[in-house]
Amino acid sequence: MKWLLRILFLLVAVFGLVIGALLLMPGDKLATILAEQVRAQTGRDLKLTGDVNLSFWPVLGMETGPVTFGNASWAGPEPMLSAESLAVGVDASALISGDLRIKRVIAENPVLRLELSDGRGNWELSAPATVAPANSTSGATPQGQQGEVTLDHLKLTNARLLYIENGATKFDFANVDLAASWPNIAAPLKVHAQMAVPGGAVDVDLSIQDLPAYASGVVTPLDLTLTAPGGDFAFDGRVNLAGEMAGSLRAKTTSTELMLAAFGQAGMGVPLGLGRAADVSAQMTYTQNGRISLRNMVAQLDDNRLTGEADIMISDPPQITARLDAGDLDLSRFNDGAATGGASQASPATPQNEGWSTAPIDASALALANGRIRLKANSIAVPGLTLGPSDLTLNLDRSRAVLQMNPATLFSGQLNGQVVANNRNGLSVGGNLTADGINVQQALSTLGGIERLSGTGSGSFEFLGVGQTEDQIMRSLSGKGRVDVGRGVISGFDLDRLMGRGGGEAGTTVFNSLSASFNIDQGVLRNDDLLMSLDNFRADGSGRVGIGNRDIDYLFTPVALRANSGNGIAVPVRIVGPWSNPSIKPDLTKVIEAAAEGKAKELEDEAKQKVFEKVGNELDTTITDSDQIEDAIKNKLEDELNKGILKLFGGN
């Protein structure tokens, strides 16, 4: 029995001496031993500086000063992990049984660089290959059963997280606090991260259901939620080691502008109707090249509901390709001031009867994305007008938007062509349109407040305007076009009454057709070839229409075709004044000039007739025009000359 006690005492003494030696060993020596072991197991360099403190039971732990952990050989020169301090502890009893139960990993001010290239991740660790001894026997060396690895607590404080994919930095977040837990092999890995952003903080909760399967490359269930100022995201699906995902997505914002500001897009306005508050759900697929595909998408954007599908390439700005269907899309308050305090409020528009609006137009939304979006809708309400059933395609490219109409229904007719808004160097708008079946009264009333002309028309229109307000754009307009209108009505004066010497200021005038071409320069439209056809009249027109000033100075000249023995009578009408209330009156100056010209013609004809009669009596012949006077005089002279010659030679 004594020898047994002596053996136990010897073992305790040896163990105590080993522990004492470790405790008394200098920190740099401990760091060297630990670095050698880490390199042997992972192939990476571990550098520890400062004092290294150890604990042995029940937690085998280490606390150190600044530390760096090397990157993969194919990755960049920067370390994969660096920190100002590091504390690591493992369960000593579990370690004896062959399991690695990590009790804690705590790092202060760490920098973690995750890099992915050609399917390889720098977080994949493997021991360097060793050469077998020359005298080893052939055949595989039996491998022991690998123990379980678990993590009770991981905490990174004030961390910087970088993710680099194929040499390009996908994200770089600073001031991040991260905590993770994986208490046993069958439990999910749970990660919580928080990052300070403008307006508050972003919180991310992630759960991977089967971490060993995920680490081996198997597609694994994933739950992910992100909460940020202004909204939140939720994803429930599956993920693989390359970060590719597929599952259901839900994104909801109460203030999209706040969320954009939180992710570095401060001051980016969102038009009302396009998602200042949004609720989007879809089946999402994310691929390794940064493409997000959304299928079976339902998007509630403010009061508008859209369905369809979209593909988004993550870039700056995002590249979007989408096909959407909408019922009644309301963008009538597109330019209303943002609800958040950070966005400027639009000033009240100038009343319609006083001029165009001088409120600044916020066109910053043109820079939100690039891409191509096709939209079909039953109706689309935009400021000042409403389109009916329409098929539209919007192309976005670096703050320039081209809206293609294929066609669009407007003013009860159809528009084909395109409208362009360009905000690259100040705002400009332009277009090239053809129209068919347009309700002229609806168009003129909506666009210019003109109510008196009605009918169904067609035509073409090219235009360009520049400015930051509606008023500036209208005053700068240039372009050209043509209008053809079928049977229609002009209210406010009666052409039949006017030509019958009445006032011509009440009633209506019905016309059979109207055509005109025009040119626009500096907000002024000029036309010189208006032609209106009526049953008993023809009307010509020429003049100026001030689009910028919203006024008109136009001479309209109707001609009574059957009057004056079919020669016609013209009574010009001048239209002068503001669009809202123009003066429409006969141009008496023109009437008097026309009447005076007619009287002079009568007096001239009467004088000629008297001359013809007098000359005829003198020459004893009938004269009806001036040419006959010359012939009659010649004949008379010849006759008198013949008589004189006969008398000279003794004839009768």
Side-chain angles (χ1 to χ4, degrees):
M1 192 66 178
K2 289 182 180 181
W3 63 269
L4 180 58
L5 292 174
R6 289 175 181 174
I7 292 175
L8 290 175
F9 177 79
L10 181 60
L11 291 175
V12 171
V14 171
F15 183 76
L17 289 173
V18 172
I19 297 301
L22 289 174
L23 291 173
L24 295 174
M25 186 178 293
D28 56 349
K29 186 64 176 179
L30 288 174
T32 301
I33 295 173
L34 183 59
E36 291 174 352
Q37 292 299 313
V38 169
R39 182 167 184 80
Q41 295 297 319
T42 67
R44 307 280 183 91
D45 289 329
L46 176 67
K47 294 182 180 180
L48 304 173
T49 57
D51 293 333
V52 178
N53 300 316
L54 298 177
S55 63
F56 294 94
W57 197 271
V59 175
L60 179 60
M62 177 194 70
E63 295 181 4
T64 181
V67 60
T68 60
F69 181 65
N71 215 333
S73 59
W74 50 264
E78 298 293 331
M80 176 180 169
L81 174 67
S82 64
E84 292 184 3
S85 66
L86 178 66
V88 179
V90 298
D91 189 321
S93 61
L95 192 61
I96 293 175
S97 64
D99 297 329
L100 179 58
R101 185 178 183 87
I102 302 173
K103 301 295 292 183
R104 65 175 182 270
V105 176
I106 301 174
E108 294 289 339
N109 301 319
V111 177
L112 177 62
R113 301 173 63 91
L114 301 179
E115 299 188 45
L116 183 69
S117 178
D118 299 327
R120 298 175 300 176
N122 67 340
W123 55 86
E124 299 174 8
L125 305 177
S126 60
T130 58
V131 180
N135 59 355
S136 62
T137 59
S138 61
T141 303
Q143 298 292 326
Q145 180 71 29
Q146 183 178 0
E148 294 182 353
V149 179
T150 59
L151 172 65
D152 281 2
H153 180 62
L154 168 68
K155 183 178 181 181
L156 306 180
T157 304
N158 193 30
R160 180 185 177 195
L161 302 180
L162 297 96
Y163 177 65
I164 301 169
E165 188 173 306
N166 297 322
T169 301
K170 294 298 183 179
F171 63 75
D172 183 350
F173 295 139
N175 303 318
V176 177
D177 293 333
L178 185 144
S181 174
W182 184 41
N184 63 72
I185 196 73
L189 168 67
K190 293 186 178 295
V191 178
H192 175 77
Q194 185 177 79
M195 177 179 65
V197 296
V202 171
D203 287 272
V204 179
D205 287 286
L206 177 148
S207 176
I208 297 178
Q209 297 300 316
D210 191 342
L211 184 59
Y214 171 76
S216 65
V218 176
V219 176
T220 307
L222 169 71
D223 292 324
L224 174 66
T225 61
L226 182 150
T227 303
D232 57 75
F233 293 82
F235 176 80
D236 182 7
R238 301 172 71 82
V239 65
N240 66 14
L241 192 61
E244 296 178 323
M245 297 185 291
S248 61
L249 172 71
R250 174 90 180 266
K252 187 173 183 179
T253 68
T254 55
S255 174
T256 304
E257 293 179 19
L258 283 178
M259 178 165 283
L260 289 172
F263 289 98
Q265 301 295 324
M268 187 67 69
V270 178
L272 186 60
L274 292 182
R276 289 185 183 172
D279 190 347
V280 181
S281 61
Q283 290 298 310
M284 186 199 82
T285 301
Y286 173 75
T287 58
Q288 191 172 348
N289 62 356
R291 178 180 295 276
I292 298 174
S293 298
L294 303 176
R295 300 294 181 265
N296 302 320
M297 181 175 65
V298 178
Q300 187 70 38
L301 307 178
D302 300 319
D303 293 329
N304 296 316
R305 185 177 187 273
L306 296 91
T307 60
E309 55 189 29
D311 293 294
I312 304 170
M313 180 63 72
I314 298 176
S315 57
D316 185 21
Q319 185 79 22
I320 300 175
T321 303
R323 293 165 296 280
L324 305 174
D325 291 291
D328 298 317
L329 187 60
D330 184 5
L331 302 176
S332 59
R333 296 193 294 159
F334 186 90
N335 291 324
D336 280 10
T340 62
S344 60
Q345 298 290 330
S347 60
T350 305
Q352 185 76 357
N353 61 348
E354 294 183 8
W356 302 107
S357 171
T358 57
I361 298 174
D362 182 5
S364 60
L366 297 177
L368 286 176
N370 293 332
R372 179 182 178 89
I373 302 172
R374 184 175 182 181
L375 172 66
K376 293 183 178 180
N378 294 332
S379 69
I380 305 174
V382 296
L385 56 87
T386 299
L387 286 73
S390 300
D391 185 352
L392 309 176
T393 300
L394 179 65
N395 291 284
L396 297 167
D397 180 27
R398 297 175 294 117
S399 296
R400 182 177 184 268
V402 179
L403 180 64
Q404 190 75 33
M405 304 178 186
N406 307 303
T409 302
L410 183 63
F411 305 130
S412 303
Q414 291 189 334
L415 287 179
N416 285 276
Q418 65 180 24
V419 176
V420 180
N422 189 339
N423 196 41
R424 291 175 181 172
N425 297 296
L427 179 62
S428 64
V429 295
N432 188 343
L433 302 170
T434 60
D436 185 49
I438 299 296
N439 185 308
V440 175
Q441 186 178 45
Q442 289 181 14
L444 293 179
S445 175
T446 300
L447 300 177
I450 300 173
E451 303 280 355
R452 301 196 178 200
L453 180 64
S454 64
T456 300
S458 61
S460 60
F461 185 27
E462 296 179 25
F463 68 96
L464 175 64
V466 179
Q468 295 300 135
T469 69
E470 189 179 76
D471 182 75
Q472 292 174 355
I473 291 173
M474 291 302 182
R475 292 180 184 277
S476 69
L477 274 181
S478 61
K480 62 181 180 179
R482 179 173 181 83
V483 175
D484 294 284
V485 182
R487 188 174 179 85
V489 174
I490 301 176
S491 61
F493 74 99
D494 188 336
L495 189 56
D496 283 314
R497 184 182 176 197
L498 175 68
M499 301 304 289
R501 303 179 184 274
E505 297 177 356
T508 60
T509 296
V510 179
F511 61 88
N512 296 323
S513 65
L514 182 152
S515 63
S517 63
F518 57 85
N519 288 286
I520 306 173
D521 183 43
Q522 295 299 310
V524 177
L525 181 150
R526 296 189 182 277
N527 157 256
D528 297 313
D529 63 353
L530 183 140
L531 176 61
M532 180 183 292
S533 174
L534 300 89
D535 289 338
N536 300 314
F537 307 95
R538 185 194 78 242
D540 302 310
S542 64
R544 176 189 67 81
V545 179
I547 298 175
N549 291 329
R550 299 168 64 90
D551 62 359
I552 185 170
D553 185 357
Y554 201 83
L555 183 64
F556 180 72
T557 306
V559 178
L561 299 176
R562 298 180 183 178
N564 193 23
S565 301
N567 293 323
I569 296 177
V571 181
V573 177
R574 185 168 293 278
I575 306 171
V576 181
W579 290 357
S580 57
N581 187 27
S583 172
I584 304 176
K585 295 181 179 180
D587 191 333
L588 297 180
T589 301
K590 299 293 184 182
V591 173
I592 292 171
E593 290 176 356
E597 289 178 2
K599 187 64 176 178
K601 187 69 167 59
E602 285 184 20
L603 294 174
E604 181 183 352
D605 291 342
E606 185 177 346
K608 284 182 179 180
Q609 188 61 36
K610 289 182 179 181
V611 171
F612 293 159
E613 290 177 359
K614 182 66 175 176
V615 173
N617 291 334
E618 293 292 334
L619 298 178
D620 193 22
T621 186
T622 301
I623 303 298
T624 58
D625 59 48
S626 57
D627 292 336
Q628 287 182 314
I629 294 176
E630 183 179 355
D631 293 338
I633 292 174
K634 288 181 179 180
N635 292 335
K636 185 67 175 178
L637 288 174
E638 289 176 358
D639 186 51
E640 292 297 329
L641 181 60
N642 289 334
K643 288 180 180 181
I645 293 174
L646 288 174
K647 288 180 180 181
L648 179 65
F649 289 100
N652 295 324

